[in-house]
Amino acid sequence: GAVVSQHPSWVICKSGTSVKIECRSLDFQATTMFWYRQFPKQSLMLMATSNEGSKATYEQGVEKDKFLINHASLTLSTLTVTSAHPEDSSFYICSARDLRAPGGANVLTFGAGSRLTVL
Amino acid sequence: SQQGEEDPQALSIQEGENATMNCSYKTSINNLQWYRQNSGRGLVHLILIRSNEREKHSGRLRVTLDTSKKSSSLLITASRAADTASYFCATDSHSGNTPLVFGKGTRLSVIA
């Protein structure tokens, strides 16, 4: 089945630094990937839709300059948290849609998530 | 905005019992999906039910869909300790690459 690899699984950084999270589709091409943020014991909050070869579509309230998304190839999307602050500490999860799913249904394959802690 | 609302928020049962989780949504859908999330991990797709289906089975999972009430239920039969996880419903309102909308989830604890 479809596999999405997300790296790093956890990262600790100092306030003011930038952190890059990678999301790779390993055995399929993903023209679209989705980035979510999740707070403890809460649901997933969609941050942005990453489109290969074009600009990402950000959800309302998500700062584009804060969370930079690049989808340079059909198998890789990156999320860069710029000038990170403690309030950016969270669990970030990417997902991709495998077009091979039966009936073309919008089934998502998720990465394992990246836990960011900003000191 | 969140569309799905799971009920209950948390559920604790003994191993071997059945677990039932409910999901309500607000707008019309193409399909509804259930995902599972182990603590600190990504989500795993469990089952999808289309808007023209009323019930679907997969192993120990049984999903129902009532589009007139805009609700779905996930039943896990003969639960095991390994079923302990959070379960989310997600609605797909359009075809194509539109994002799924996830509910708040039900945290299931199965006690051995």
Coordinates of all heavy atoms in Angstrom, one line a residue, chain A residues 64-110:
Chain A
K64 N 1.3 32.5 6.0 CA 2.0 32.0 4.9 C 3.5 32.2 5.1 O 4.3 31.4 4.7 CB 1.6 32.7 3.6 CG 0.2 32.5 3.3 CD -0.2 33.3 2.0 CE -1.7 33.1 1.7 NZ -2.0 33.8 0.4
D65 N 3.9 33.4 5.6 CA 5.3 33.7 5.8 C 5.9 32.9 7.0 O 7.1 32.8 7.1 CB 5.5 35.2 6.0 CG 5.1 36.0 4.8 OD1 5.2 35.4 3.7 OD2 4.7 37.1 4.9
K66 N 5.1 32.4 7.9 CA 5.5 31.7 9.0 C 5.7 30.2 8.7 O 6.7 29.6 9.1 CB 4.4 31.8 10.1 CG 4.7 31.1 11.4 CD 5.7 31.7 12.2 CE 5.9 31.1 13.5 NZ 7.0 31.7 14.3
F67 N 4.8 29.7 7.9 CA 4.8 28.3 7.6 C 5.0 28.2 6.1 O 4.0 28.2 5.3 CB 3.5 27.6 8.0 CG 3.3 27.6 9.5 CD1 2.4 28.6 10.1 CD2 3.9 26.8 10.4 CE1 2.2 28.6 11.4 CE2 3.7 26.8 11.7 CZ 2.8 27.8 12.3
L68 N 6.2 28.1 5.7 CA 6.6 28.0 4.2 C 6.4 26.6 3.7 O 7.0 25.7 4.3 CB 8.0 28.5 4.0 CG 8.3 30.0 4.4 CD1 9.7 30.3 4.1 CD2 7.3 30.9 3.7
I69 N 5.7 26.4 2.6 CA 5.5 25.1 2.1 C 6.0 25.1 0.6 O 5.7 26.0 -0.2 CB 4.0 24.7 2.1 CG1 3.6 24.5 3.5 CG2 3.7 23.5 1.2 CD1 2.1 24.3 3.7
N70 N 6.8 24.1 0.4 CA 7.4 23.9 -1.0 C 7.1 22.5 -1.4 O 7.3 21.5 -0.7 CB 8.9 24.1 -0.9 CG 9.5 24.0 -2.3 OD1 9.8 23.0 -2.8 ND2 9.6 25.2 -3.0
H71 N 6.6 22.4 -2.6 CA 6.2 21.1 -3.2 C 6.9 21.0 -4.6 O 6.3 21.1 -5.6 CB 4.7 21.0 -3.3 CG 4.2 19.6 -3.5 ND1 3.0 19.2 -3.1 CD2 4.7 18.5 -4.1 CE1 2.7 17.9 -3.4 NE2 3.8 17.5 -4.0
A72 N 8.2 20.8 -4.5 CA 9.0 20.9 -5.7 C 9.0 19.7 -6.6 O 9.3 19.7 -7.8 CB 10.5 21.2 -5.3
S73 N 8.5 18.5 -6.1 CA 8.5 17.3 -6.9 C 7.2 16.5 -6.6 O 6.5 16.9 -5.7 CB 9.7 16.4 -6.7 OG 9.6 15.7 -5.5
L74 N 6.9 15.5 -7.4 CA 5.7 14.7 -7.2 C 5.8 13.8 -6.0 O 4.8 13.1 -5.6 CB 5.4 13.9 -8.4 CG 4.9 14.7 -9.6 CD1 4.9 13.8 -10.9 CD2 3.5 15.3 -9.3
T75 N 7.0 13.8 -5.3 CA 7.1 12.9 -4.1 C 7.6 13.6 -2.9 O 7.8 13.0 -1.9 CB 8.1 11.8 -4.5 OG1 9.4 12.3 -4.8 CG2 7.6 10.9 -5.6
L76 N 7.7 14.9 -3.0 CA 8.3 15.6 -1.8 C 7.6 17.0 -1.6 O 7.5 17.8 -2.5 CB 9.8 15.8 -2.0 CG 10.5 16.7 -0.9 CD1 10.4 16.0 0.5 CD2 11.9 17.0 -1.3
S77 N 7.2 17.1 -0.3 CA 6.7 18.5 0.1 C 7.4 18.8 1.4 O 7.6 17.9 2.2 CB 5.2 18.4 0.3 OG 4.7 19.7 0.9
T78 N 7.7 20.0 1.6 CA 8.4 20.4 2.8 C 7.6 21.6 3.5 O 7.1 22.4 2.8 CB 9.9 20.9 2.6 OG1 9.8 22.0 1.7 CG2 10.7 19.8 2.0
L79 N 7.7 21.5 4.8 CA 7.1 22.6 5.6 C 8.2 23.2 6.5 O 8.9 22.5 7.2 CB 6.0 22.0 6.6 CG 5.5 22.9 7.7 CD1 4.7 24.1 7.1 CD2 4.6 22.2 8.7
T80 N 8.4 24.5 6.3 CA 9.4 25.2 7.1 C 8.8 26.1 8.1 O 8.0 27.0 7.6 CB 10.4 25.9 6.2 OG1 11.0 25.0 5.3 CG2 11.5 26.6 7.0
V81 N 9.0 25.9 9.3 CA 8.5 26.8 10.4 C 9.6 27.8 10.6 O 10.7 27.5 11.1 CB 8.2 26.1 11.7 CG1 7.6 27.0 12.7 CG2 7.2 24.9 11.4
T82 N 9.3 29.1 10.2 CA 10.3 30.1 10.2 C 10.3 30.9 11.5 O 9.2 31.1 12.1 CB 10.2 31.1 9.1 OG1 8.9 31.7 9.2 CG2 10.3 30.4 7.7
S83 N 11.5 31.3 12.0 CA 11.5 32.0 13.3 C 10.6 31.4 14.3 O 9.7 32.1 14.8 CB 11.2 33.5 13.0 OG 11.4 34.3 14.2
A84 N 10.8 30.2 14.6 CA 9.9 29.5 15.5 C 9.9 30.1 16.9 O 10.9 30.5 17.4 CB 10.4 28.0 15.6
H85 N 8.7 30.0 17.5 CA 8.5 30.5 18.9 C 7.8 29.3 19.7 O 7.3 28.4 19.1 CB 7.7 31.7 18.9 CG 8.4 32.9 18.3 ND1 9.4 33.6 19.0 CD2 8.3 33.5 17.1 CE1 9.8 34.6 18.3 NE2 9.2 34.6 17.1
P86 N 7.9 29.4 21.0 CA 7.3 28.3 21.8 C 5.8 28.0 21.4 O 5.4 26.8 21.5 CB 7.4 28.9 23.2 CG 8.6 29.7 23.2 CD 8.6 30.4 21.8
E87 N 5.1 29.0 21.0 CA 3.7 28.7 20.6 C 3.5 27.9 19.3 O 2.4 27.4 19.0 CB 2.9 30.0 20.5 CG 3.5 31.0 19.5 CD 4.4 32.0 20.2 OE1 5.0 31.7 21.2 OE2 4.4 33.2 19.6
D88 N 4.6 27.8 18.6 CA 4.6 26.9 17.4 C 4.8 25.4 17.8 O 4.7 24.6 16.9 CB 5.7 27.4 16.4 CG 5.5 28.8 16.0 OD1 4.3 29.2 15.8 OD2 6.5 29.5 15.8
S89 N 5.2 25.2 19.0 CA 5.3 23.8 19.4 C 4.0 23.0 19.2 O 3.0 23.5 19.6 CB 5.7 23.8 20.9 OG 7.0 24.4 21.2
S90 N 4.2 21.9 18.5 CA 3.0 21.2 18.2 C 3.4 19.9 17.5 O 4.5 19.6 17.3 CB 2.1 22.0 17.3 OG 0.8 21.4 17.1
F91 N 2.4 19.1 17.1 CA 2.6 17.9 16.3 C 2.1 18.2 14.9 O 0.9 18.6 14.7 CB 1.7 16.8 16.9 CG 2.0 15.4 16.4 CD1 3.3 14.9 16.5 CD2 1.0 14.6 15.8 CE1 3.6 13.6 16.0 CE2 1.3 13.4 15.4 CZ 2.6 12.8 15.4
Y92 N 3.0 18.1 13.9 CA 2.7 18.4 12.5 C 2.6 17.1 11.7 O 3.5 16.3 11.8 CB 3.7 19.4 11.9 CG 3.7 20.7 12.6 CD1 4.5 21.0 13.7 CD2 2.9 21.8 12.1 CE1 4.5 22.2 14.3 CE2 2.9 23.0 12.7 CZ 3.7 23.2 13.8 OH 3.7 24.5 14.4
I93 N 1.5 17.0 11.0 CA 1.3 15.7 10.2 C 1.1 16.1 8.8 O 0.3 17.0 8.5 CB 0.1 14.9 10.8 CG1 0.2 14.8 12.3 CG2 0.1 13.5 10.1 CD1 -1.1 14.1 12.8
C94 N 1.7 15.3 7.9 CA 1.4 15.5 6.4 C 0.6 14.3 5.9 O 0.6 13.2 6.6 CB 2.7 15.7 5.6 SG 3.7 14.2 5.5
S95 N 0.0 14.5 4.8 CA -0.7 13.4 4.2 C -0.8 13.6 2.7 O -0.6 14.7 2.2 CB -2.2 13.3 4.8 OG -2.9 14.4 4.4
A96 N -1.0 12.5 2.0 CA -1.1 12.6 0.6 C -2.2 11.6 0.1 O -2.6 10.7 0.8 CB 0.2 12.2 -0.1
R97 N -2.7 11.9 -1.1 CA -3.8 11.1 -1.6 C -3.2 10.2 -2.7 O -2.5 10.6 -3.6 CB -4.8 12.0 -2.2 CG -6.0 11.3 -2.9 CD -6.9 12.2 -3.6 NE -7.9 11.5 -4.4 CZ -8.5 11.9 -5.5 NH1 -8.2 13.1 -5.9 NH2 -9.4 11.2 -6.1
D98 N -3.4 8.9 -2.5 CA -3.0 7.9 -3.4 C -4.1 7.7 -4.5 O -5.2 7.2 -4.2 CB -2.7 6.6 -2.7 CG -2.2 5.5 -3.7 OD1 -2.0 5.8 -4.9 OD2 -1.9 4.4 -3.2
L99 N -3.8 8.2 -5.7 CA -4.8 8.1 -6.8 C -5.2 6.7 -7.2 O -6.1 6.5 -7.9 CB -4.3 8.9 -8.0 CG -4.2 10.4 -7.7 CD1 -3.6 11.1 -9.0 CD2 -5.5 11.1 -7.3
R100 N -4.3 5.7 -6.7 CA -4.6 4.3 -7.0 C -5.7 3.8 -6.2 O -6.1 2.6 -6.4 CB -3.4 3.5 -6.9 CG -2.2 4.0 -7.8 CD -0.9 3.3 -7.4 NE -0.6 3.5 -6.0 CZ 0.5 3.0 -5.4 NH1 1.3 2.3 -6.0 NH2 0.8 3.3 -4.1
A101 N -6.2 4.5 -5.2 CA -7.2 4.0 -4.3 C -8.5 3.7 -5.1 O -8.8 4.3 -6.1 CB -7.6 5.1 -3.2
P102 N -9.2 2.6 -4.7 CA -10.4 2.2 -5.4 C -11.4 3.3 -5.7 O -11.7 4.0 -4.8 CB -11.0 1.1 -4.5 CG -9.8 0.6 -3.7 CD -8.9 1.8 -3.5
G103 N -11.8 3.5 -6.9 CA -12.8 4.5 -7.2 C -12.3 5.9 -7.2 O -13.0 6.8 -7.3
G104 N -10.9 6.0 -7.0 CA -10.4 7.4 -6.9 C -10.9 8.1 -5.7 O -10.9 9.4 -5.6
A105 N -11.3 7.4 -4.7 CA -11.8 8.0 -3.5 C -10.7 8.9 -2.8 O -9.5 8.6 -2.9 CB -12.3 7.0 -2.5
N106 N -11.1 9.9 -2.1 CA -10.2 10.8 -1.4 C -9.6 10.2 -0.1 O -9.7 10.8 0.9 CB -10.9 12.1 -1.2 CG -10.0 13.2 -0.9 OD1 -8.8 13.1 -1.1 ND2 -10.5 14.4 -0.5
V107 N -9.0 9.0 -0.2 CA -8.4 8.4 0.9 C -7.0 9.0 1.1 O -6.2 9.1 0.2 CB -8.4 6.9 0.8 CG1 -7.6 6.2 1.9 CG2 -9.8 6.3 0.7
L108 N -6.7 9.3 2.3 CA -5.4 9.9 2.6 C -4.5 8.9 3.3 O -4.9 8.1 4.2 CB -5.6 11.1 3.6 CG -6.3 12.3 3.0 CD1 -6.4 13.4 4.0 CD2 -5.6 12.8 1.7
T109 N -3.2 9.0 2.9 CA -2.2 8.3 3.6 C -1.3 9.3 4.4 O -0.9 10.3 3.8 CB -1.3 7.5 2.6 OG1 -2.1 6.6 1.9 CG2 -0.2 6.8 3.3
F110 N -1.1 9.0 5.7 CA -0.5 10.0 6.5 C 0.9 9.6 6.8 O 1.3 8.4 6.9 CB -1.2 10.1 7.9 CG -2.5 10.9 7.8 CD1 -3.7 10.3 7.3 CD2 -2.5 12.2 8.2 CE1 -4.8 11.0 7.2 CE2 -3.7 13.0 8.1 CZ -4.8 12.4 7.6

